[in-house]
Amino acid sequence: MTQDVIIIGGGLHGSSTAYQLAARGRRPLVIERNHVARHASGASAGGVRRLRRHRAELPLAMESLALWRRLPELLGDDCGFSPCGHLLLAETEADLAWTVERAATTRSLGYDFEEPIDRAEVKRLVPAVSDAVIGGIIARDDGFGNPLLTTAAFRRRAESLGARYLERTEVLGIERDAAGWTVATTAGRFAAPSLVNCAGGWGERIAAMLGETMPVRMKAATMTVTARVPRFLGPVIGHVRKKLSLKQMQNGTVVIGGGYEGRADMEAGESDVLYAGLPGNMKPVVDAFPHLARVPIVRNWTGLEGNTPDAIPYIGPSPNDPTLVHSFGYSGHGFQLGPICGVIVADLVMHGATPLPIGAFQPDRFATAGTLQWGAKEGTAVEEQKAV
Amino acid sequence: MTDRPDLAIVGAGPAGLAAATEAATRGLSVTLLDERAAPGGIVYHAVTRSPLGGSAVLDADYCRGAGLVEAFRSSGATYCPGASVWAVDRDGSIGVTVDGQARWLRPRRVLLATGCMERSLPFPGWTLPGVMTAGAGQILLKDSGAIPDGPVVLAGTGPLLLLVAVQYLRAGARIAAVADLTPPGAWQRGLPQLAGALGCLPLLRKGLSMMAELRRSDVRRIPGVTGLRAIGTDRLEAVEVRQGARAERIPAGVLLVHAGVVPNIVLTRMLRLPHRWDPRQRCWRPDADAFGATALDAVAVAGDGARILGAEAAIHAGRLAALDAAHRLGVLDRAERDRHAAPEQAAIERHAGLRSLLDAMYPPPDALTFLDADTTICRCEDITAADIRAAIADGCRDPNQVKAVTRCAMGPCQGRQCGQTLARIVADATGQTEEDVMPPRARPPLRRLTIGDLAALETE
């Protein structure tokens, strides 16, 4: 059997794309350098969040949430999705003012899911929170999913519909001729009329093979998981101003993120925890939930993820060739977008267009000399997206 | 304790003690971090305070550890007991908790002397209370002189099993049987290696005399054991021993199991050092040169954690690593380093000769031989061999994937216990050799570290 689309990268976005294409009768071949969900898709904290998202991503995030709710029906697997809400804590008057302003901005764009709440409501939702918290902003329908289960479920369904996966297969070169694309790999050569670049942190390298400039910086975000503790948290917790992210899983463990950087080793495809930087990661946790100070850390880990200069992804057809579609550089917040971006890329491959607004994600936005400027706070999606 | 010593050493066993002594004598500032309350590591555990010290139960080799500790104490090295090392970075810095406070040390170099651990050999019932490793049984003896009341069965292979059997015998334990997992023909296998081992004549003699002592006693020895099962409801009641088709139940209160030792590679794996498969010792060990230098500039390894050669060789290896540290830190030129290294290297060669003999006589068992589908592999997360095989049948092809899917090796021991067995099962189920499949990645923290500890971590 031959393929009619080659997808480079078997993470969540590659697998979601493979599923959508296979569901519409195409025969995608997914080429994965390592194993499925090895990097960002496996190391993700699993946030299914619209709250404080970049304005350009909001229309996609709204559609994606609708798909998250339908995953049991589409994939036969709920992917661990728990719509427990996302809550950002406010501790100062300035924090509170920001919540009001943010909700107003989002409402002016036509969305009403962000809701400023007062101290009493925060306490009602999260009784364990410190008295220093005076309010917050919540998206009650956001939540989190299980990254490994989610990618595996997309892959499984894609395969059952005829998609093929080649793991431990590295792309060595890509050629274009009149018939389409030929991808030379460590497992042989494969040809197809369409090509999709879902290579995540390695997306820049794949683009470079195609003569396209799409800068990505590899980052290693640090995660912390604790021992099991009695249930004290419903919603996923963040902070208006501080780099804070924590959630309590079904089994009682607490998963803490926040975007603290480890050491990324792109050549080895590995990364390391850098403890010297982590006191700042834990202080806001203890400030918000003093009782967590005594809880042991079971594991710290880091995962590699590709960040773009403006911390929003590249999504769209190549300006040079409509049979080539890029979808990578999700900059640490691509998990929620996984379901919808598969739809968008499948639309682009099959029809050359998508009804959703993707202008901000143009693949060539940093291609021209002089346009490349890494954001002052690039990669810290939290700060970046506050500016919306 | 200074946060920036020239050399930090992790582990106060024979390699760590000898390295600290040598390095301090050469003028380096040395901090020796050790988890235990007293120096000596596992092999010289409690050597300075054991109630049995100097008695006939624990022999002169054990008591020699006291001299090593003595030399260390007068060397000027800083000794830091009760220190839990929970992370080591590739730049040589160390996360350690001492007296309840987490600290981040930045030594100029670090030497990992974390020693060996007993090979994990899962078999049906091995998680029952009353079943422990022979090494754990020996620690109880060294600590308090305690021996169990009920009948003891020892099962396994290798010199430590023999040593513990003899020590229990001398201490007055009731040994119901010694079930020998060594394949028949040990001496025939060993004969070609005998000449090379003669450099360690005293240790050879000691081994032979222990064998004779066991033979003279009325302890029952069951040779050629091919299967093992611990039986009991809440705790061990009997041990089922199989020789081919023949099975026998032996009532027992305690089962001590030993299948040889392997380097403890959790830290070196966490550091992403290159490791190589040692087919004779059937284990992974970090790649290191004759001085213990690794692929990372600031990190060296010494002793059984680098390569299993035994306690005496570890002393020499520790000195070699210290000489190299002194050289790299500019207090000893290369010629001097090499001059002092020569006798240490020669001694290690002698021990390598003995080890070849022991490896030939006591080939490590294949983990697959002794477990069945329901046997627990990962004790932390309660994962069975069948769970692992199911994940592989579902498409997992390497131990890291199995870990992510099943949680095998994800518990507090970070895969120290089950990592190699997991890799063995993956190799078997995917048609690869043991050499092809590394144990899964290990993640920090390696020891207890709370959110509050990390929030208050002093990094300078």
Side-chain angles (χ1 to χ4, degrees):
Chain A
M1 192 184 92
T2 55
Q3 55 284 333
D4 46 27
V5 187
I6 292 173
I7 300 169
I8 299 173
L12 174 59
H13 284 272
S15 293
S16 172
T17 300
Y19 157 68
Q20 290 292 343
L21 286 165
R24 301 186 210 175
R26 292 294 173 104
R27 295 185 308 275
L29 171 69
V30 180
I31 297 174
E32 165 56 48
R33 198 174 75 121
N34 205 291
H35 59 73
V36 162
R38 165 66 186 91
H39 292 295
S41 302
S44 160
V48 178
R49 173 185 60 80
R50 297 162 302 166
L51 183 62
R52 191 166 50 185
R53 208 167 256 282
H54 192 288
R55 131 193 346 232
E57 291 181 356
L58 281 178
L60 280 57
M62 298 302 290
E63 295 295 324
S64 212
L65 181 61
L67 284 177
W68 273 102
R69 295 183 177 128
R70 289 180 56 210
L71 291 184
E73 159 205 341
L74 299 173
L75 305 180
D77 194 317
D78 70 5
C79 301
F81 176 51
S82 163
C84 56
H86 265 249
L87 169 62
L88 304 182
L89 305 177
E91 287 180 301
T92 64
E93 289 303 323
D95 289 350
L96 278 185
W98 181 85
T99 65
V100 173
E101 191 188 323
R102 164 74 196 187
T105 308
T106 314
R107 211 173 305 112
S108 74
L109 295 169
Y111 308 106
D112 61 359
F113 64 88
E114 290 183 347
E115 179 191 339
I117 56 175
D118 62 13
R119 180 202 293 260
E121 178 64 358
V122 173
K123 270 282 181 193
R124 189 187 70 80
L125 291 167
V126 191
V129 80
S130 147
D131 289 337
V133 173
I134 59 171
I137 181 168
I138 190 168
R140 294 184 194 266
D141 295 334
D142 283 356
F144 64 88
N146 179 317
L148 284 167
L149 291 183
T150 305
T151 307
F154 272 108
R155 182 230 181 126
R156 209 164 33 240
R157 183 49 57 96
E159 284 184 317
S160 76
L161 293 167
R164 283 191 304 147
Y165 274 73
L166 279 178
E167 292 178 282
R168 290 162 200 85
T169 301
E170 197 168 346
V171 171
L172 303 173
I174 305 170
E175 290 155 32
R176 174 81 163 99
D177 62 22
W181 303 93
T182 300
V183 180
T185 76
T186 47
R189 295 166 68 84
F190 301 91
S194 300
L195 181 65
V196 178
N197 176 8
C198 284
W202 284 265
E204 177 179 12
R205 292 195 179 178
I206 297 297
M209 287 182 184
L210 299 158
E212 305 196 353
T213 303
M214 301 175 72
V216 159
R217 243 179 229 176
M218 196 66 100
K219 293 197 172 173
T222 307
M223 305 292 299
T224 300
V225 61
T226 71
R228 293 165 168 85
V229 293
R231 178 145 299 276
F232 72 101
L233 258 191
V236 179
I237 301 294
H239 195 283
V240 165
R241 184 170 25 86
K242 299 175 182 173
K243 280 176 35 169
L244 171 70
S245 163
L246 76 159
K247 64 172 74 76
Q248 189 170 25
M249 313 302 287
Q250 296 300 332
N251 63 10
T253 60
V254 180
V255 175
I256 302 166
Y260 280 78
E261 276 189 57
R263 181 193 294 119
D265 183 344
M266 190 170 177
E267 292 316 312
E270 297 277 358
S271 54
D272 307 300
V273 176
L274 292 177
Y275 278 102
L278 291 190
N281 193 178
M282 296 302 136
K283 275 177 194 141
V285 174
V286 177
D287 287 348
F289 299 100
H291 76 288
L292 290 183
R294 302 165 64 94
V295 176
I297 295 167
V298 170
R299 194 165 60 257
N300 287 106
W301 76 94
T302 47
L304 293 174
E305 57 190 25
N307 288 252
T308 64
D310 53 5
I312 56 173
Y314 299 115
I315 310 170
S318 159
N320 307 315
D321 191 330
T323 64
L324 165 63
V325 179
H326 297 285
S327 172
F328 66 94
Y330 285 84
S331 307
H333 51 273
F335 183 65
Q336 197 271 1
L337 297 175
I340 194 61
C341 289
V343 174
I344 293 171
V345 176
D347 281 345
L348 293 171
V349 167
M350 296 181 69
H351 315 300
T354 169
L356 283 160
I358 56 168
F361 312 119
Q362 266 177 324
D364 63 343
R365 63 186 186 274
F366 301 111
T368 321
T371 57
L372 174 58
Q373 191 185 1
W374 289 89
K377 301 163 193 157
E378 47 88 14
T380 61
V382 171
E383 294 299 324
E384 195 72 16
Q385 296 189 7
K386 223 168 90 173
V388 170
Chain B
M1 178 171 74
T2 165
D3 283 357
R4 294 178 182 270
D6 291 329
L7 177 65
I9 300 171
V10 182
L17 287 170
T21 307
E22 182 74 33
T25 308
R26 301 265 163 213
L28 300 185
S29 62
V30 178
T31 299
L32 177 58
L33 304 165
D34 192 57
E35 187 160 40
R36 292 159 188 269
I42 290 176
V43 65
Y44 301 132
H45 174 79
V47 69
T48 52
R49 57 181 173 81
S50 172
L52 298 179
S55 75
V57 175
L58 302 171
D59 60 29
D61 282 335
Y62 171 65
C63 299
R64 180 176 308 152
L68 197 61
V69 172
E70 209 47 56
F72 163 68
R73 288 230 160 106
S74 53
S75 71
T78 302
Y79 174 50
C80 192
S84 299
V85 170
W86 40 265
V88 176
D89 190 80
R90 287 166 66 87
D91 68 7
S93 49
I94 299 172
V96 59
T97 297
V98 189
D99 297 329
Q101 193 186 358
R103 303 170 67 160
W104 192 251
L105 308 189
R106 299 176 193 272
R108 294 170 73 189
R109 297 185 56 74
V110 60
L111 174 64
L112 305 177
T114 49
C116 63
M117 49 182 263
E118 286 179 88
R119 181 187 303 277
S120 174
L121 188 72
F123 56 89
W126 72 299
T127 55
L128 273 177
V131 182
M132 59 181 144
T133 67
Q138 194 190 32
I139 295 248
L140 285 179
L141 191 70
K142 286 176 180 173
D143 249 345
S144 56
I147 52 159
D149 294 333
V152 179
V153 172
L154 289 100
T157 181
L160 182 70
L161 188 77
L162 182 64
L163 176 64
V164 174
V166 167
Q167 287 172 342
Y168 265 63
L169 196 63
R170 290 176 192 163
R174 261 198 304 145
I175 301 182
V178 175
D180 196 342
L181 270 51
T182 311
W187 282 109
Q188 289 90 312
R189 286 192 303 272
L191 203 56
Q193 309 295 334
L194 191 55
L198 292 177
C200 293
L201 209 49
L203 283 171
L204 267 181
R205 276 215 197 91
K206 176 182 167 186
L208 287 169
S209 92
M210 287 194 304
M211 285 175 168
E213 186 176 345
L214 201 60
R215 221 175 300 117
R216 279 195 308 275
S217 74
D218 54 1
V219 166
R220 184 175 166 217
R221 199 180 142 268
I222 308 172
V225 170
T226 54
L228 207 55
R229 178 181 295 270
I231 294 162
T233 38
D234 298 326
R235 59 165 296 116
L236 180 73
E237 288 158 22
V239 180
E240 186 184 282
V241 172
R242 215 162 2 92
Q243 293 167 288
R246 210 165 64 87
E248 178 189 348
R249 265 183 202 208
I250 304 165
V254 168
L255 169 60
L256 299 179
V257 184
H258 179 74
V261 293
V262 297
N264 182 354
I265 56 171
V266 172
L267 263 177
T268 53
R269 289 278 291 132
M270 193 174 283
L271 283 163
R272 302 194 280 112
L273 288 172
H275 286 66
R276 69 170 67 187
W277 175 253
D278 184 328
R280 281 198 314 192
Q281 298 192 339
R282 207 166 198 152
C283 63
W284 292 93
R285 57 180 164 95
D287 253 343
D289 73 8
F291 288 95
T294 71
L296 293 172
D297 282 346
V299 181
V301 292
D304 274 1
R307 182 182 171 198
I308 301 293
L309 290 174
E312 288 188 32
I315 294 171
H316 302 292
R319 287 191 196 128
L320 283 176
L323 289 168
D324 195 41
H327 169 59
R328 285 167 184 255
L329 294 173
V331 303
L332 195 65
D333 68 33
R334 179 180 282 268
E336 277 292 283
R337 179 198 70 174
D338 292 347
R339 193 170 64 78
H340 292 292
E344 311 294 345
Q345 276 158 346
I348 288 175
E349 280 312 305
R350 284 198 300 279
H351 286 278
L354 174 63
R355 187 53 49 173
S356 296
L357 172 69
L358 296 174
D359 289 342
M361 291 178 68
Y362 305 108
D366 184 346
L368 295 179
T369 318
F370 291 89
L371 51 87
D372 66 15
D374 298 327
T375 304
T376 301
I377 304 301
C378 172
R379 298 181 78 143
C380 299
E381 296 287 332
D382 199 15
I383 307 299
T384 66
D387 295 332
I388 293 170
R389 289 192 186 268
I392 297 165
D394 244 13
C396 291
R397 281 291 169 277
D398 86 54
N400 290 305
Q401 278 178 294
V402 175
K403 175 182 169 183
V405 171
T406 64
R407 302 186 62 82
C408 183
M410 229 186 240
C413 93
Q414 308 297 352
R416 195 174 72 94
Q417 294 288 338
C418 64
Q420 195 174 332
T421 312
L422 167 59
R424 180 71 190 98
I425 295 174
V426 169
D428 177 61
T430 58
Q432 302 177 80
T433 67
E434 286 176 90
E435 195 172 353
D436 295 330
V437 184
M438 289 282 285
R441 272 180 290 277
R443 299 292 193 195
L446 282 181
R447 293 290 182 271
R448 185 184 164 89
L449 178 73
T450 65
I451 299 281
D453 292 339
L454 190 48
L457 176 67
E458 289 180 9
T459 57
E460 274 304 318

